[in-house]
Amino acid sequence: MSVLETYSHISSSPIFVSSELPDIPEMGGFVVFSGIVRNLNEGKKVTHLEYEAYAPMANEMISNILADACKKWDLLHANCIHRVGKLGISEIAVIVETGSVHRAEAYESNRYIIDRVKHEVPIWKKEFYFDGSSQWSKGCVHESH
Amino acid sequence: MDIQLLFFAAVKDHFPDLKKIEVSEGDSIVHLRKILTNTNPDSESILKVSRFAVNQSIVGDDFVLREGSVVAVLPPSSGG
Protein backbone atom coordinates (compact mmCIF):
# COMPACT_ATOMS: atom_id res chain seq x y z
CA MET A 1 0.00 0.00 0.00
CA SER A 2 1.30 3.42 -0.91
CA VAL A 3 1.83 5.94 1.85
CA LEU A 4 -0.59 8.17 -0.05
CA GLU A 5 -3.43 5.76 0.70
CA THR A 6 -3.44 7.16 4.21
CA TYR A 7 -4.86 10.40 2.79
CA SER A 8 -8.56 10.20 2.07
CA HIS A 9 -8.55 13.05 -0.49
CA ILE A 10 -5.31 12.27 -2.34
CA SER A 11 -5.02 9.03 -4.28
CA SER A 12 -2.25 7.37 -6.25
CA SER A 13 -4.75 4.77 -7.49
CA PRO A 14 -7.23 5.29 -10.36
CA ILE A 15 -10.50 7.04 -9.51
CA PHE A 16 -13.78 5.76 -10.96
CA VAL A 17 -17.27 7.21 -11.03
CA SER A 18 -19.39 4.89 -8.92
CA SER A 19 -22.86 3.87 -10.05
CA GLU A 20 -23.86 3.58 -6.39
CA LEU A 21 -25.16 6.69 -4.68
CA PRO A 22 -24.61 7.47 -1.00
CA ASP A 23 -27.37 5.86 1.04
CA ILE A 24 -29.03 9.03 2.32
CA PRO A 25 -32.86 8.92 2.19
CA GLU A 26 -33.21 12.73 2.53
CA MET A 27 -31.00 13.36 -0.52
CA GLY A 28 -32.89 14.65 -3.57
CA GLY A 29 -29.97 15.96 -5.63
CA PHE A 30 -26.51 14.47 -6.23
CA VAL A 31 -23.88 16.14 -8.44
CA VAL A 32 -20.65 14.53 -9.62
CA PHE A 33 -17.92 16.52 -11.32
CA SER A 34 -15.00 14.72 -12.93
CA GLY A 35 -11.88 16.49 -14.14
CA ILE A 36 -10.49 14.36 -16.96
CA VAL A 37 -7.08 14.27 -18.67
CA ARG A 38 -7.58 15.51 -22.23
CA ASN A 39 -5.31 14.96 -25.22
CA LEU A 40 -4.86 18.59 -26.18
CA ASN A 41 -3.86 21.76 -24.33
CA GLU A 42 -3.26 25.17 -25.90
CA GLY A 43 -2.82 23.56 -29.31
CA LYS A 44 -0.26 20.97 -28.16
CA LYS A 45 -0.98 17.25 -28.30
CA VAL A 46 -0.68 15.75 -24.83
CA THR A 47 0.43 12.14 -24.27
CA HIS A 48 -0.03 12.01 -20.50
CA LEU A 49 0.17 14.06 -17.29
CA GLU A 50 1.88 13.77 -13.97
CA TYR A 51 0.34 15.28 -10.86
CA GLU A 52 2.45 16.08 -7.82
CA ALA A 53 1.07 17.11 -4.44
CA TYR A 54 2.32 18.24 -1.08
CA ALA A 55 0.14 15.40 0.13
CA PRO A 56 -0.39 16.05 3.86
CA MET A 57 -1.12 19.73 3.28
CA ALA A 58 -3.26 19.12 0.18
CA ASN A 59 -5.32 16.52 2.04
CA GLU A 60 -5.92 18.87 4.96
CA MET A 61 -6.81 21.79 2.67
CA ILE A 62 -9.35 19.73 0.71
CA SER A 63 -10.85 18.59 3.99
CA ASN A 64 -11.17 22.24 5.11
CA ILE A 65 -12.71 23.29 1.77
CA LEU A 66 -15.33 20.53 2.12
CA ALA A 67 -16.06 21.71 5.67
CA ASP A 68 -16.43 25.30 4.41
CA ALA A 69 -18.87 24.12 1.72
CA CYS A 70 -20.91 22.31 4.37
CA LYS A 71 -21.10 25.56 6.36
CA LYS A 72 -22.21 27.62 3.35
CA TRP A 73 -24.79 25.13 2.06
CA ASP A 74 -27.00 22.57 3.72
CA LEU A 75 -25.23 19.50 2.32
CA LEU A 76 -25.93 15.89 3.08
CA HIS A 77 -22.81 14.65 1.31
CA ALA A 78 -19.54 16.24 0.12
CA ASN A 79 -16.36 14.55 -1.03
CA CYS A 80 -13.37 15.25 -3.24
CA ILE A 81 -10.53 12.99 -4.32
CA HIS A 82 -7.55 14.14 -6.40
CA ARG A 83 -5.16 11.80 -8.23
CA VAL A 84 -1.40 12.07 -8.13
CA GLY A 85 1.25 10.33 -10.22
CA LYS A 86 1.16 9.46 -13.91
CA LEU A 87 -2.24 9.67 -15.61
CA GLY A 88 -3.13 8.67 -19.17
CA ILE A 89 -5.58 10.40 -21.50
CA SER A 90 -9.22 10.05 -20.35
CA GLU A 91 -8.29 9.09 -16.79
CA ILE A 92 -10.04 10.96 -13.98
CA ALA A 93 -7.76 13.53 -12.30
CA VAL A 94 -10.25 14.76 -9.73
CA ILE A 95 -13.76 13.94 -8.60
CA VAL A 96 -16.13 16.12 -6.56
CA GLU A 97 -19.41 14.76 -5.19
CA THR A 98 -22.10 16.82 -3.50
CA GLY A 99 -25.54 15.81 -2.32
CA SER A 100 -28.38 17.83 -0.83
CA VAL A 101 -32.15 17.89 -0.37
CA HIS A 102 -32.57 19.96 -3.56
CA ARG A 103 -30.35 20.24 -6.64
CA ALA A 104 -29.42 23.93 -6.32
CA GLU A 105 -27.18 23.46 -3.28
CA ALA A 106 -25.53 20.40 -4.80
CA TYR A 107 -24.68 22.26 -8.04
CA GLU A 108 -23.48 25.46 -6.39
CA SER A 109 -21.37 23.79 -3.72
CA ASN A 110 -19.79 21.43 -6.25
CA ARG A 111 -18.56 24.37 -8.35
CA TYR A 112 -17.31 26.14 -5.23
CA ILE A 113 -15.32 23.08 -4.15
CA ILE A 114 -13.62 22.40 -7.49
CA ASP A 115 -12.78 26.09 -8.01
CA ARG A 116 -11.11 26.35 -4.61
CA VAL A 117 -9.29 23.03 -5.03
CA LYS A 118 -7.93 24.16 -8.38
CA HIS A 119 -6.79 27.58 -7.13
CA GLU A 120 -5.59 26.92 -3.60
CA VAL A 121 -4.55 23.34 -2.98
CA PRO A 122 -0.84 22.51 -3.46
CA ILE A 123 -1.19 20.15 -6.40
CA TRP A 124 0.73 20.62 -9.66
CA LYS A 125 0.36 19.25 -13.16
CA LYS A 126 3.17 18.44 -15.58
CA GLU A 127 2.12 17.96 -19.18
CA PHE A 128 3.97 15.63 -21.53
CA TYR A 129 3.63 16.22 -25.27
CA PHE A 130 3.86 14.13 -28.42
CA ASP A 131 7.07 15.89 -29.48
CA GLY A 132 8.83 14.53 -26.36
CA SER A 133 8.84 17.84 -24.48
CA SER A 134 7.19 18.46 -21.12
CA GLN A 135 6.12 21.47 -19.07
CA TRP A 136 4.76 22.30 -15.62
CA SER A 137 1.40 24.00 -15.89
CA LYS A 138 1.67 27.68 -15.02
CA GLY A 139 -1.31 27.34 -12.71
CA CYS A 140 -3.24 30.01 -10.86
CA VAL A 141 -1.16 33.03 -9.89
CA HIS A 142 -2.44 34.05 -6.47
CA GLU A 143 -1.22 37.62 -6.56
CA SER A 144 -3.73 38.31 -9.34
CA HIS A 145 -6.74 37.13 -7.29
CA MET B 1 19.99 28.65 12.61
CA ASP B 2 18.91 25.96 10.16
CA ILE B 3 15.53 25.56 8.49
CA GLN B 4 14.34 22.70 6.32
CA LEU B 5 13.17 23.32 2.77
CA LEU B 6 10.68 21.47 0.60
CA PHE B 7 10.47 22.27 -3.10
CA PHE B 8 7.69 21.24 -5.46
CA ALA B 9 6.95 21.16 -9.18
CA ALA B 10 8.66 23.93 -11.18
CA VAL B 11 10.58 25.24 -8.15
CA LYS B 12 12.18 21.82 -7.71
CA ASP B 13 13.95 22.30 -11.05
CA HIS B 14 15.89 25.25 -9.58
CA PHE B 15 16.95 23.84 -6.20
CA PRO B 16 17.17 20.06 -6.58
CA ASP B 17 19.65 19.38 -3.77
CA LEU B 18 18.90 22.19 -1.36
CA LYS B 19 17.17 20.60 1.62
CA LYS B 20 18.47 22.80 4.39
CA ILE B 21 19.55 26.41 4.59
CA GLU B 22 20.99 28.67 7.25
CA VAL B 23 19.11 31.86 8.08
CA SER B 24 19.66 34.48 10.76
CA GLU B 25 17.65 34.91 13.92
CA GLY B 26 14.64 37.12 13.10
CA ASP B 27 14.73 36.41 9.35
CA SER B 28 11.31 36.26 7.72
CA ILE B 29 9.96 34.82 4.47
CA VAL B 30 11.08 38.02 2.70
CA HIS B 31 14.67 37.28 3.68
CA LEU B 32 14.32 33.66 2.61
CA ARG B 33 13.05 34.77 -0.82
CA LYS B 34 16.15 36.94 -1.18
CA ILE B 35 18.51 34.18 -0.04
CA LEU B 36 16.97 31.73 -2.52
CA THR B 37 17.02 34.27 -5.35
CA ASN B 38 20.68 35.02 -4.65
CA THR B 39 21.43 31.29 -4.60
CA ASN B 40 19.85 30.87 -8.02
CA PRO B 41 18.93 34.10 -9.87
CA ASP B 42 17.04 32.08 -12.53
CA SER B 43 14.45 31.22 -9.87
CA GLU B 44 13.40 34.85 -9.34
CA SER B 45 10.29 34.83 -11.53
CA ILE B 46 8.87 31.57 -10.11
CA LEU B 47 9.68 32.59 -6.52
CA LYS B 48 7.82 35.86 -7.02
CA VAL B 49 4.57 34.03 -7.71
CA SER B 50 5.10 31.19 -5.21
CA ARG B 51 3.42 30.89 -1.83
CA PHE B 52 5.31 29.76 1.25
CA ALA B 53 4.03 27.36 3.89
CA VAL B 54 5.64 26.83 7.28
CA ASN B 55 4.81 23.55 8.99
CA GLN B 56 1.98 23.08 6.43
CA SER B 57 0.27 26.46 6.94
CA ILE B 58 0.41 29.22 4.33
CA VAL B 59 2.26 32.24 5.73
CA GLY B 60 2.83 35.82 4.62
CA ASP B 61 6.08 37.57 3.77
CA ASP B 62 6.55 38.91 7.30
CA PHE B 63 6.36 35.49 9.00
CA VAL B 64 9.47 35.04 11.14
CA LEU B 65 11.32 31.76 10.75
CA ARG B 66 12.42 29.65 13.67
CA GLU B 67 15.04 26.94 14.15
CA GLY B 68 13.81 23.76 12.48
CA SER B 69 10.92 25.37 10.59
CA VAL B 70 9.83 23.20 7.66
CA VAL B 71 9.31 25.64 4.82
CA ALA B 72 7.57 24.53 1.63
CA VAL B 73 7.93 26.64 -1.49
CA LEU B 74 4.67 26.28 -3.41
CA PRO B 75 4.54 27.48 -7.02
CA PRO B 76 1.08 28.41 -8.38
CA SER B 77 -1.28 25.45 -8.05
CA SER B 78 -2.70 23.68 -11.06
CA GLY B 79 -4.81 20.85 -9.75
CA GLY B 80 -8.18 19.84 -11.14
Side-chain angles (χ1 to χ4, degrees):
Chain A
M1 182 192 276
S2 158
V3 68
L4 288 172
E5 304 310 328
T6 61
Y7 299 115
S8 53
H9 302 299
I10 304 293
S11 173
S12 56
S13 305
I15 301 168
F16 298 101
V17 177
S18 172
S19 58
E20 285 192 27
L21 300 176
D23 184 15
I24 305 171
E26 297 81 8
M27 193 168 72
F30 183 72
V31 171
V32 183
F33 168 78
S34 302
I36 300 164
V37 178
R38 62 173 184 270
N39 66 355
L40 196 70
N41 193 34
E42 294 179 354
K44 292 184 86 170
K45 281 189 173 179
V46 174
T47 57
H48 66 281
L49 300 181
E50 281 183 20
Y51 280 98
E52 179 181 335
Y54 184 10
M57 190 174 167
N59 192 66
E60 180 74 13
M61 285 179 80
I62 291 176
S63 182
N64 291 339
I65 290 167
L66 294 172
D68 287 348
C70 289
K71 277 184 213 146
K72 282 172 78 76
W73 290 277
D74 197 8
L75 299 180
L76 297 166
H77 173 87
N79 196 24
C80 172
I81 303 171
H82 204 298
R83 263 301 286 284
V84 289
K86 183 177 175 180
L87 278 77
I89 304 303
S90 299
E91 280 198 80
I92 293 177
V94 61
I95 194 163
V96 179
E97 300 173 344
T98 46
S100 54
V101 175
H102 301 292
R103 69 182 181 281
E105 294 93 329
Y107 270 119
E108 287 168 22
S109 59
N110 198 292
R111 179 67 187 257
Y112 167 89
I113 292 164
I114 188 60
D115 284 351
R116 282 194 61 190
V117 167
K118 195 168 173 60
H119 286 88
E120 297 173 25
V121 178
I123 298 174
W124 303 274
K125 175 168 67 180
K126 192 170 194 176
E127 290 177 335
F128 293 79
Y129 307 107
F130 259 94
D131 63 7
S133 63
S134 62
Q135 190 176 19
W136 287 105
S137 171
K138 288 188 176 51
C140 311
V141 179
H142 294 270
E143 277 69 10
S144 66
H145 288 280
Chain B
M1 61 181 190
D2 285 340
I3 59 165
Q4 290 182 58
L5 291 169
L6 299 174
F7 297 115
F8 294 94
V11 182
K12 212 167 47 180
D13 297 342
H14 294 287
F15 304 100
D17 302 320
L18 199 57
K19 309 278 188 241
K20 217 176 235 188
I21 202 165
E22 199 178 328
V23 297
S24 303
E25 201 75 38
D27 272 359
S28 65
I29 295 293
V30 170
H31 299 102
L32 179 60
R33 266 188 219 273
K34 280 183 191 153
I35 293 166
L36 291 175
T37 305
N38 290 338
T39 304
N40 184 349
D42 288 346
S43 67
E44 186 173 8
S45 57
I46 189 81
L47 288 177
K48 265 187 183 165
V49 295
S50 292
R51 295 176 295 169
F52 285 71
V54 175
N55 302 330
Q56 298 183 28
S57 293
I58 301 283
V59 296
D61 271 356
D62 54 357
F63 185 91
V64 176
L65 299 162
R66 294 182 188 89
E67 172 75 37
S69 290
V70 179
V71 182
V73 186
L74 311 173
S77 305
S78 57

